[in-house]
Amino acid sequence: MNLLFLAFLSPLLGFLILAFGRGRIPEKAAAVIGVGSIGVSALVTAVAGWQFMQNPPPGGAFVQPLWTWMSVGSFAPQFALRLDGLSLTMMGVITGVGFLIHLFASWYMRGDDGYGRFFSYMNLFVASMLFLVLGDNLLFVYFGWEGVGLCSYLLIGFWYKDPANGAAARKAFIVTRVGDTFMALGLFLLFHSLHTLNIQEALILAPAVFQPGSLIVTLIALLLLGGAVGKSAQLPLQTWLPDAMAGPTPVSALIHAATMVTAGVYLIARTHTLFELAPFAQAMVGLTGAATLLLAGFTALVQTDIKRILAYSTMSQIGYMFLALGAGAWSAAIFHLMTHAFFKALLFLSAGAVILACHHEQDIFKMGGLRKKLPLVFWCFIIGGGALAAFPGLTVGFYSKDEILWQAYAGGHINLFWAGLLGAFLTSLYTFRLIFTVFYGEAKTDAHAGHGVAYWLPLSVLLVLSTAVGALIHPPLAKVLPAGPEGDESARHMVEGASAAVAILGIALAGWRFFGQPALFRWLENNALARLLARWWGAAFGFDWLYDRLFVKPFLWAVRVNARDFFDQIIGLVPVLLTSFNKATALSQTGRLRWYTASVALGAVLVIAAVIYK
């Protein structure tokens, strides 16, 4: 475990080599550096994890101090890495799934002019995320937090010559900065109250300093929640995520499966003590998750872009994790975070293979009949889509989603349970709507399957992990997070049955709609109210329209009104006055001795007069 620092140092070095050698490093060498650096990080994680499990450190955590950043009075933040069950789980997801995404990207991005630049950004992304989850101090967590925000901007706008991509990148950067500001304010308040930003010290001191439910701890928790909803694309800061699909598909896989959107879930889980002391804030976490998963589910039902459907499914699944955190099912939330990384990476990489096979077409209604032309990708979608829909027994998603629903029910959060159940039905419906449309029916385009190890190996590994095999991996969270609610075993079987039933019902309805073409669905398509709802859902409930009128248009109006910058003109008076004074005094510098003597005499008379008449 002493080599733990190599986990983030390796991709950081990969970034530096590729960034400074851009344009001079051949494509194959760039792939070796970009993929290899993440491979080294994954290997370090595997070794550290094996040592951690075989010889658990005292207290359940290994801390590796590297240096002290600064020392100002009692404020001496130490740059230290902390490895415990939670950070080990996150590292495994980031480096393991991240390595497979990088390997697939080496095939997907082949021939792109910015090949080396792409991998330099991807390496920095992984290094920043590892920095975030390994930081022993919230100051350094925030440093990594900002790092992934920067990388998301660079990668979403990777093809920067297209103005739409640049707009999507700026939108992601600005919207997430709103959340980051909330988080920074929360950290200021936390330091003011506890005089430390060390995570473990803060969690130990918090119960002694804060009264449960007090205003200050509730405000701190709500501000941290504000940061989390920005990074994890939850209401009301969710609008950036669908537009982030402008980036290359491997970027979408990395953002949605292994890195950025999971940061908010990690932050709340890591600071769980603060939320337990603030019941209102914890309830808001669950409410935010429930509202987001339903909004995203209804929106995904009417989307036609294959990547946007998956983007809304990510918002929905992160909503499940927030719901679990709000219900006190801490370990269940992280378990679902891990399983979601498996099947969501599989789905996004498979979507990338479909897009390339269909000559960069992303409209699902312009595809069709691809199951025979892309057999591996078809089975990836069947297994990955089944996991997303929580198909009972066979897929990894069933086990993690079922655990969330069960603990929400057992903890008495009945409203959250019903929201989660409805969300599960919607997920099953829109997922298999996508699968049936893309892989069945009449072929509408020519398609060609990919080839090579970098193509089939990541898909195959993720396919296996998305089955029930992935559920055999149990995150070591017992000593890090509180145990979740428990209840009667017969009630658990009832919840499992309900979860399985809604998943199967959603698949059946999607199949009935596609293969049966019933009159009911034709009537709905022609109904005025149904079309109105479809437009509303298709516009993601109008949040972009609302924010455009509340924030963007007033700002642009103020810019037009103040085009000449009134305040800048006022400030500009200062140098004008100083320059004028300088010119006035320069007039006295004539070079004439009599003038200087008269000036000195006049000055002396004025000084004497001032003294006399004082």
Side-chain angles (χ1 to χ4, degrees), residues 12 63 71 169 272 309 385 401 432 499 578:
L12 187 59
V63 179
S71 182
H272 62 273
I309 294 172
K401 190 177 290 186
F432 278 84
S499 175
L578 291 175

Side-chain angles (χ1 to χ4, degrees), residues 310-526:
L310 295 179
Y312 283 111
S313 78
T314 297
M315 287 170 53
S316 180
Q317 297 307 301
I318 299 294
Y320 269 104
M321 299 171 206
F322 271 64
L323 184 152
L325 296 170
W330 307 99
S331 296
I334 301 302
F335 183 39
H336 192 58
L337 184 155
M338 180 191 75
T339 63
H340 173 258
F342 298 156
F343 61 76
K344 188 49 63 67
L346 175 64
L347 287 170
F348 264 111
L349 297 186
S350 300
V354 169
I355 291 168
L356 281 191
C358 295
H359 315 289
H360 300 282
E361 180 58 65
Q362 295 185 202
D363 188 334
I364 61 174
F365 291 104
K366 295 181 180 179
M367 301 175 186
L370 295 180
R371 71 184 187 281
K372 294 181 180 179
K373 297 179 180 179
L374 305 173
L376 174 60
V377 174
F378 167 68
W379 284 108
C380 288
F381 260 96
I382 290 293
I383 299 300
L388 176 58
F391 188 84
L394 301 178
T395 63
V396 70
F398 171 74
Y399 297 94
S400 57
K401 190 177 290 186
D402 174 70
E403 192 67 24
I404 291 175
L405 292 175
W406 160 240
Q407 292 196 21
Y409 182 86
H413 302 278
I414 304 301
N415 292 334
L416 296 183
F417 166 75
W418 285 113
L421 209 58
L422 176 57
F425 169 72
L426 294 174
T427 302
S428 180
L429 187 58
Y430 68 67
T431 300
F432 278 84
R433 166 184 174 264
L434 182 157
I435 292 173
F436 292 143
T437 304
V438 171
F439 293 99
Y440 289 88
E442 179 185 355
K444 299 181 179 67
T445 182
D446 292 329
H448 54 86
H451 56 84
V453 175
Y455 167 77
W456 62 261
L457 182 60
L459 295 179
S460 301
V461 173
L462 290 169
L463 185 148
V464 173
L465 291 174
S466 297
T467 65
V469 173
L472 299 176
I473 304 173
H474 297 287
L477 303 171
K479 294 184 178 180
V480 188
L481 299 175
E486 297 181 0
D488 182 66
E489 196 65 23
S490 61
R492 184 184 184 100
H493 293 319
M494 181 271 293
V495 170
E496 289 175 349
S499 175
V502 297
I504 294 172
L505 178 61
I507 296 172
L509 278 178
W512 186 37
R513 165 67 182 85
F514 186 81
F515 296 106
Q517 296 291 327
L520 173 62
F521 286 98
R522 290 197 298 272
W523 177 82
L524 283 174
E525 289 171 358
N526 295 320

Side-chain angles (χ1 to χ4, degrees), residues 167-338:
R170 290 192 298 273
K171 182 177 181 180
F173 191 79
I174 293 169
V175 172
T176 55
R177 289 297 74 71
V178 174
D180 296 352
T181 303
F182 285 129
M183 182 180 172
L185 294 173
L187 296 185
F188 290 147
L189 279 179
L190 187 66
F191 181 77
H192 176 75
S193 302
L194 303 181
H195 306 292
T196 183
L197 287 177
N198 180 277
I199 296 173
Q200 298 311 306
E201 290 179 6
L203 297 185
I204 292 171
L205 287 172
V209 174
F210 298 125
Q211 290 294 322
S214 63
L215 177 61
I216 183 65
V217 71
T218 300
L219 185 56
I220 290 171
L222 287 175
L223 288 170
L224 293 180
L225 172 60
V229 299
K231 276 290 184 289
S232 293
Q234 299 292 285
L235 282 169
L237 300 179
Q238 82 287 2
T239 56
W240 67 269
L241 192 62
D243 291 349
M245 297 303 97
T249 302
V251 172
S252 304
L254 194 63
I255 290 176
H256 289 245
T259 55
M260 185 167 170
V261 296
T262 62
V265 180
Y266 168 78
L267 176 68
I268 295 175
R270 178 60 81 187
T271 58
H272 62 273
T273 301
L274 297 175
F275 285 88
E276 289 178 321
L277 291 169
F280 175 76
Q282 188 173 353
M284 289 303 297
V285 174
L287 180 61
T288 299
T292 305
L293 74 89
L294 292 177
L295 178 145
F298 282 112
T299 303
L301 278 176
V302 295
Q303 298 298 311
T304 59
D305 186 298
I306 187 171
K307 287 177 66 176
R308 289 181 77 89
I309 294 172
L310 295 179
Y312 283 111
S313 78
T314 297
M315 287 170 53
S316 180
Q317 297 307 301
I318 299 294
Y320 269 104
M321 299 171 206
F322 271 64
L323 184 152
L325 296 170
W330 307 99
S331 296
I334 301 302
F335 183 39
H336 192 58
L337 184 155
M338 180 191 75

